[in-house]
């Protein structure tokens, strides 16, 4: 088995977990490399592991079987970018707090690696959202994609932002709020949940539209079909907004700017070992019983 380990070394206990993973993979004769996400909070690998480190942004080597994230949900989301580009399954080991996406706990690491090495896992296809950004004059500001959510947030801390939301060709709502989140079913347990949204089984092809602290009596999350197109326009008299995908790659968009969000046919493939029932994981992660 050829494996890529994506590691957040700044997490408490991460180095010990990585060394356990490396030892298990080496003892089993598997080939592996380490990748450390770049950016804020990034900590390099220890010197004695440096020989295994590959630049995070390099294309994944052909023939790679699996990407394993060791960190929290943020690390998993970064690993998913490598996984989707290479069409390789990704699985997360939770070296953090809640770690809803990173489902393998550290005490189960060796058992999980044995199952993965033996091919005893299933793969779920998780839907993603694509986003296209443009300014009021039509200038293309690029775009991206999200496994969890797209957030359109106020640019000025002291004021709300007014956003016009369309679903398909139909004007749906004009909102004054801190933000509007458009999430996948996978992202229903992330930012959208903290805004009061529902928990949705991640295998459903759905899209959630969740206002954050709206200055309105309407404060409900709307669930629609992933085949719909959601367009969010920043009102002309605003300071603009900041748009991010999975909490990354923020882009400032001016008044009158538009965010167009659609479902995409190319999923993230998530490997699963052991417990397969989603609501059992919800119960365990959120300590509901």
């Amino acid at each position: 088995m050829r494996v890529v380990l994506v590691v957040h070394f700044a997490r408490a206990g991460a180095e010990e977990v990585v060394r356990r993973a490396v030892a298990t993979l080496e003892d089993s004769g598997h080939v592996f490399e380490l990748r450390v996400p770049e950016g804020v909070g990034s900590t390099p690998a220890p010197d004695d592991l440096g020989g295994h480190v590959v630049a995070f942004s390099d294309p994944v080597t052909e023939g790679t079987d699996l990407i394993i994230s060791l960190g929290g949900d943020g690390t998993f989301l970064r690993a998913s970018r490598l996984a989707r580009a290479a069409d390789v399954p990704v699985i997360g080991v939770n070296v953090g707090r809640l770690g809803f996406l990173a489902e393998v706990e550290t005490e189960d690491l060796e058992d999980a690696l044995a199952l993965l090495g033996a091919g005893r896992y299933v793969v779920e296809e998780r839907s993603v959202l694509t986003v296209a950004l443009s300014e009021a004059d039509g200038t293309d500001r690029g775009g991206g994609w999200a496994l969890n959510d797209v957030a359109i947030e106020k640019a000025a801390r002291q004021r709300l932002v007014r956003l016009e939301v369309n679903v398909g060709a139909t004007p749906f709502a004009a909102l004054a709020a801190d933000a509007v989140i458009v999430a996948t079913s996978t992202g229903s347990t992330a930012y959208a949940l903290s805004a009061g949204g529902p928990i949705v089984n991640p295998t459903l092809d759905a899209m959630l539209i969740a206002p954050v602290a709206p200055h309105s009596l309407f404060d409900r999350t709307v669930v629609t079909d992933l085949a719909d197109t959601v367009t969010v326009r920043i009102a002309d008299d605003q300071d603009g907004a900041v748009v991010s995908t999975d909490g990354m790659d923020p882009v400032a968009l001016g008044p009158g700017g538009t965010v167009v969000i659609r479902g995409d046919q190319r999923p993230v493939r998530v490997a699963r070992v052991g417990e397969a029932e989603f609501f059992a994981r919800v119960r365990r992660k959120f300590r509901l019983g």
Side-chain angles (χ1 to χ4, degrees), residues 37-85:
E38 301 157 353
V40 178
S42 178
T43 299
D47 290 342
D48 61 325
L49 293 175
H52 298 293
V53 175
V54 174
F56 183 79
S57 57
D58 282 358
V60 172
T61 304
E62 187 175 348
T64 295
D65 298 292
L66 191 66
I67 295 176
I68 302 176
S69 160
L70 297 106
D73 283 350
T75 310
F76 184 93
L77 290 169
R78 286 166 173 79
S80 73
R81 278 160 158 63
L82 294 176
R84 183 171 182 258

Side-chain angles (χ1 to χ4, degrees), residues 188-213:
S188 72
T189 52
Y191 195 178
L193 182 66
S194 68
I199 293 173
V200 181
N201 191 314
T203 60
L204 293 178
D205 285 336
M207 191 168 5
L208 289 69
I209 307 168
V212 180

Side-chain angles (χ1 to χ4, degrees), residues 117-165:
R120 294 172 57 189
Y121 60 90
V122 298
V123 175
E124 290 180 356
E125 293 190 345
R126 299 290 184 87
S127 300
V128 306
L129 302 175
T130 58
V131 56
L133 310 176
S134 59
E135 295 287 2
D137 62 1
T139 301
D140 183 1
R141 293 299 309 280
W145 65 271
L147 175 60
N148 263 358
D149 49 48
V150 179
I152 303 101
E153 303 178 270
K154 62 184 183 181
R157 282 188 66 183
Q158 70 275 19
R159 285 192 289 276
L160 302 175
V161 62
R162 288 198 300 112
L163 302 169
E164 301 160 5
V165 182

Side-chain angles (χ1 to χ4, degrees), residues 224-248:
T224 188
D225 195 294
L226 193 70
D228 287 330
T229 297
V230 173
T231 303
V232 181
R233 182 181 180 276
I234 304 163
D236 293 321
D237 58 351
Q238 300 300 287
D239 295 308
V242 177
V243 184
S244 59
T245 52
D246 287 340
M248 296 178 274

